[in-house]
Amino acid sequence: MNLSIRHIRTGLVVLLSVCCCLACAGRSYLIVDYAVPPATDALKGQTVRIAMVDDRVETAVLAPQAAARFTDFADRYSLAWVMPNKERVLAGEHDLLTALAETFKKRLTQMGAVVSLRSHPEIPVLTVSLTRMTVDLQERKWIVDLGYEAVLRKATGAQAKETVRGNAERVRVIGRKGADMVLSDIFSDATNRLDLVKMFKQAQLLP
């Protein structure tokens, strides 16, 4: 009887492992659901351009244990906005820097700012330098570590700088859901933590 129970348990573990591998192997992207903050007029009347810089020393997003679960990952991110009313709006599939740029653009427009695509001496530039981005799997937990430096400059030379770094973790579940959820958590937290009003004031763009 004990032998049968042991065999059943072993069989279940193998089955769960196979299901997990099958669920993870066939997808080339991770899902990022950005929690959009409520709309305000804090930056109404401001126009800004976003510039993204990749300053990472280690450019591989997936650590070895995480990469083993996502064998087809192609460094792509399926982005969506989760609005304050919980509506989920698809925002396209992007590479990492573009996904971050789109997220910051959404944050700025929610605050009333206009994000310009053109370069002009009179348009301030928010430069976001990505310094770290890793997804790891340790002791049955998905762990994401993200860091960046944001610099806001205007034509007169005035500028403001802020560094943000955060990490999040979730217990691993079958398939990719845990990795997607923890990545969404850190994207939302790290983007929304940037004190944009303070930066606009320091750069002499707001009184």
Side-chain angles (χ1 to χ4, degrees):
M1 183 65 178
N2 289 337
L3 182 61
S4 297
I5 293 174
R6 227 174 16 248
H7 286 167
I8 291 171
R9 287 176 177 171
T10 302
L12 286 173
V13 170
V14 172
L15 180 61
L16 288 172
S17 298
V18 170
C19 288
C20 184
C21 291
L22 288 175
C24 291
R27 197 175 73 182
S28 61
Y29 59 89
L30 287 166
I31 295 172
V32 178
D33 286 350
Y34 170 56
V36 179
T40 72
D41 61 357
L43 298 180
K44 186 177 181 179
Q46 299 293 326
T47 299
V48 64
R49 182 170 65 87
I50 297 173
M52 299 298 302
V53 178
D54 192 346
D55 272 343
R56 292 175 295 164
V57 175
E58 177 54 66
T59 57
V61 170
L62 298 182
Q65 290 194 48
R69 301 288 179 177
F70 290 88
T71 56
D72 291 335
F73 181 63
D75 204 14
R76 303 290 294 178
Y77 303 83
S78 180
L79 190 60
W81 313 136
V82 179
M83 305 304 292
N85 63 1
K86 304 305 180 184
E87 178 187 6
R88 186 173 183 270
V89 181
L90 296 178
E93 184 179 316
H94 311 279
D95 60 40
L96 179 57
L97 287 188
T98 304
L100 280 167
E102 289 296 314
T103 304
F104 280 105
K105 178 181 177 181
K106 187 64 175 178
R107 170 92 193 282
L108 285 159
T109 56
Q110 280 293 105
M111 299 178 74
V114 174
V115 177
S116 176
L117 297 179
R118 69 188 184 99
S119 178
H120 189 280
E122 298 303 316
I123 298 177
V125 180
L126 176 66
T127 302
V128 179
S129 300
L130 182 65
T131 55
R132 184 173 179 81
M133 175 63 183
T134 59
V135 178
D136 202 356
L137 180 60
Q138 298 179 11
E139 298 179 352
R140 300 187 61 82
K141 288 183 179 180
W142 289 107
I143 301 171
V144 177
D145 189 2
L146 187 152
Y148 65 87
E149 180 183 78
V151 179
L152 180 63
R153 293 185 179 90
K154 71 173 188 176
T156 60
Q159 70 174 41
K161 181 187 296 185
E162 186 172 338
T163 300
V164 174
R165 181 168 179 180
N167 56 71
E169 63 181 47
R170 280 184 181 266
V171 175
R172 181 171 67 86
V173 295
I174 295 175
R176 301 166 289 249
K177 187 176 181 181
D180 294 331
M181 291 175 69
V182 73
L183 186 59
S184 298
D185 287 346
I186 198 62
F187 251 70
S188 300
D189 177 71
T191 303
N192 293 339
R193 199 191 311 170
L194 185 64
D195 193 339
L196 286 167
V197 171
K198 180 181 178 181
M199 292 186 72
F200 271 74
K201 288 180 177 180
Q202 289 178 344
Q204 301 172 12
L205 293 163
L206 284 176

